Every structure is written in structure tokens, then in C-alpha cells.
Amino acid sequence: DTGVSQNPRHKITKRGQNVTFRCDPISEHNRLYWYRQTLGQGPEFLTYFQNEAQLEKSRLLSDRFSAERPKGSFSTLEIQRTEQGDSAMYLCASSLLAGYSYEQYFGPGTRLTVT
Amino acid sequence: DAKTTQPPSMDCAEGRAANLPCNHSTISGNEYVYWYRQIHSQGPQYIIHGLKNNETNEMASLIITEDRKSSTLILPHATLRDTAVYYCIVTYDKVIFGPGTSLSVIP
């Protein structure tokens, strides 16, 4: 257990529905990252926050995806109008920005299945 | 971020040292070498990182060549629980995962 938690762990939804995932990082970590991982591939970067500011979004993050970190603590990732191609593991990670050390600690992930 | 090249798969006998190579010939002066691993169905796990000196922690050792163009992660006594995909990443900030090396530890 890294101290990063994600909920739910599994989500099955029908195409066209909206889903929201939550990530609770390690409490003193000021950076929070979201990744998506499909079978057989490494995690793909989606977006990251420093405190409550969203600093970067990948081109992978279409308009249907939105992420927030309202008080610089937990974060949510929402997918609107889900498509079958959204089926993947969604991973959250946190890190402490300190000097030049950026080791990230990952949660267990939320597995999304869109039917 | 610089790109890395790793062998797609490796085998290692249980109890022996596992040496996982990584090439990063375009690494910049301010980029660190990080290693993560991912055991099946779990999130990635941070292992170790370094800039130019060799590093050791309770999990592994990291050997970086003097020109910093390549590195080797060493698991000194591999166990079955070390079977995982190992990712070598060079970065000064954002972590970008490649395909990694799938290490199988064989009894």
C-alpha cells in the first residue's frame, strides 16, 4: 500500500454514460497525476496538478475528459459520454515537489469497462 | 524527455541477480534516470533513481555509465515476486512510460 487510494476499483458502465473517479494522494504530496493504461501497454500520461492548478493536459485528454483538484488534496477524473475505447485502467499517482526528486507513488487504479 | 530503449523481455533464475539494461543515449544533463516496476494488475511501483552516481537502496542497485548514456538496474537476489514489467525512464519532471522489460523469474 503506497498511501494513494482510488475509488472505485472497478466500474462497469454503458456507452454514453458519465463516470467519475476519485483519487486521494499521500497527504503532503503537492503533485497529482492521472494516467491511462490499456492491456499490454505502459501507462499513458493524461494530466497533472501542482496543488490545485492543472499544469498540463495530454492530447489524449479529449473534451469528454475533465479533471479537478479543487482544494489541492483529492482529485476527480470525469469522463462524459463514455465510449468503448475508454475501457482501460485509470491510474493516479502523487509526488512531492522537492528539489529535483520526482518519484511518484501510484494508487491501485480504477478499471473501467464500457459495454 | 529523452527516450529509452529496453529489451522487451528477460528471464532470470530465482536467487540469481537480475541485470536489466537501459539505453538512453540522448539524455540531457539535468535528467535523472528512474526505474519503476509494475506487477500484474497493480499500479507501478517506484524502485530507484539517480543522476550520475551509482545508487543502492533496499530494493535494487542502479549503475549509470560515466557518459550517462546507459544504465543497469540490478536486483541482487531475484525472487518469484520480482516477476514484473520494469520501466526505465529519463526525465527532469514528467514521467513518460515506454513498453518496458517484462522480467520473468523462473524457479
Side-chain angles (χ1 to χ4, degrees), chain A residues 9 31 33 35 37 41-43 45 48 56 89 91 100-108 111, chain B residues 30 32 34 36 38 40-46 49 87 91-99:
Chain A
R9 295 292 306 277
R31 284 199 168 181
Y33 307 80
Y35 295 83
Q37 186 173 28
Q41 304 297 316
F45 169 79
Y48 85 96
E56 186 174 345
M89 174 76 84
L91 293 160
Y100 294 99
S101 182
Y102 298 100
E103 58 262 36
Q104 295 183 15
Y105 295 87
F106 283 79
R111 182 167 296 283
Chain B
N30 61 346
Y32 282 70
Y34 282 79
Y36 288 79
Q38 189 171 24
H40 182 61
S41 296
Q42 298 182 18
Q45 177 188 24
Y46 165 79
H49 75 281
Y87 299 99
T91 183
Y92 64 88
D93 190 354
K94 192 170 61 184
V95 172
I96 303 294
F97 289 87

Side-chain angles (χ1 to χ4, degrees), chain B residues 47-58:
Chain B
I47 301 173
I48 198 167
H49 75 281
L51 183 62
K52 45 186 169 181
N53 297 324
N54 298 337
E55 302 287 345
T56 295
N57 63 20
E58 65 278 4

Side-chain angles (χ1 to χ4, degrees), chain B residues 79-93:
Chain B
T79 71
L80 299 179
R81 289 176 295 180
D82 292 321
T83 292
V85 178
Y86 287 77
Y87 299 99
C88 169
I89 297 150
V90 291
T91 183
Y92 64 88
D93 190 354

Side-chain angles (χ1 to χ4, degrees), chain B:
Chain B
D1 291 358
K3 292 187 177 179
T4 62
T5 304
Q6 300 178 253
S9 63
M10 293 181 62
D11 292 337
C12 178
E14 188 178 17
R16 304 296 292 269
N19 296 281
L20 292 92
C22 180
N23 287 322
H24 32 80
S25 59
T26 60
I27 190 170
S28 301
N30 61 346
E31 289 180 317
Y32 282 70
V33 180
Y34 282 79
W35 284 82
Y36 288 79
R37 73 179 182 183
Q38 189 171 24
I39 296 169
H40 182 61
S41 296
Q42 298 182 18
Q45 177 188 24
Y46 165 79
I47 301 173
I48 198 167
H49 75 281
L51 183 62
K52 45 186 169 181
N53 297 324
N54 298 337
E55 302 287 345
T56 295
N57 63 20
E58 65 278 4
M59 289 182 66
S61 295
L62 173 60
I63 308 298
I64 303 173
T65 58
E66 192 168 345
D67 62 8
R68 302 207 326 121
K69 292 185 177 182
S70 65
S71 61
T72 301
L73 179 75
I74 301 172
L75 307 178
H77 305 286
T79 71
L80 299 179
R81 289 176 295 180
D82 292 321
T83 292
V85 178
Y86 287 77
Y87 299 99
C88 169
I89 297 150
V90 291
T91 183
Y92 64 88
D93 190 354
K94 192 170 61 184
V95 172
I96 303 294
F97 289 87
T101 295
S102 179
L103 175 68
S104 297
V105 180
I106 301 168

